[in-house]
Amino acid sequence: MPVTDPANTDVLLVEDELFIALDLQETIEGAGFHVVGPCATVVEAEAAIETHAGRFAAAVLDVRLADGTVFPAADRLHAAGVPLLFHSGHADDAALRQRYPSATVCPKPSAPDALAAALRGCAARRRAA
C-alpha cells in the first residue's frame, strides 16, 4: 500500500455525464480538494489510478459508466485504502455496502453541502489511517 501524504487533497472523480461532472468538480473544489479527472470511463479511471498510484484522499464514483461499471477501478482503490464515495442514481445501496463496507453512498442527485460533508468525512478517514 502506498504511503499516504496527510496533506493530500487529490480526489478522483469518475462521472460520465458532463454537466454532473462539472457540478461535482465545483463542489469538490469548493470543499477544498483538487480534482483528478473527471474520468468518464473505467479505462480513464484505471489510467488515473495508475498515474497517481492510489495516492488519493478519496474517490467520488458513479457506478454506471460509458464502458461498464466502475467496480474494477473501485476494487483497486479499495485495496489501496482509498475511501470511496459512490454518487449514483443506479446503485444498490445494500450491495455497495456489502462489497465496500467502509464506503459512503450518496444518492444522485445530492445537495452540494451534503456531498461536500461526506467527502470531508472520507478524507478524514484516509488521514487517520
Side-chain angles (χ1 to χ4, degrees):
M1 197 176 324
V3 175
T4 304
D5 174 0
N8 184 16
T9 61
D10 288 348
V11 171
L12 177 64
L13 173 57
V14 182
E15 170 60 62
D16 64 343
E17 295 182 43
L18 178 61
F19 292 115
I20 293 172
L22 293 173
D23 283 344
L24 288 172
Q25 182 170 351
E26 184 176 315
T27 297
I28 293 166
E29 289 173 348
F33 297 94
H34 172 261
V35 173
V36 175
C39 301
T41 65
V42 176
V43 171
E44 290 176 14
E46 294 274 359
I49 293 166
E50 194 66 35
T51 300
H52 285 74
R55 297 181 315 260
F56 296 106
V60 177
L61 309 172
D62 187 10
V63 172
R64 289 189 191 170
L65 302 172
D67 62 346
T69 63
V70 76
F71 299 128
D75 290 344
R76 285 185 65 188
L77 292 163
H78 180 70
V82 176
L84 306 177
L85 190 160
F86 288 97
H87 180 255
S88 180
H90 304 288
D92 179 340
D93 191 26
L96 285 174
R97 292 184 193 282
Q98 183 175 7
R99 186 169 183 167
Y100 309 103
S102 62
T104 300
V105 180
C106 294
K108 188 191 277 183
S110 287
D113 290 346
L115 194 65
L119 180 56
R120 285 188 198 103
C122 288
R125 284 196 312 273
R126 177 72 166 179
R127 284 190 300 272

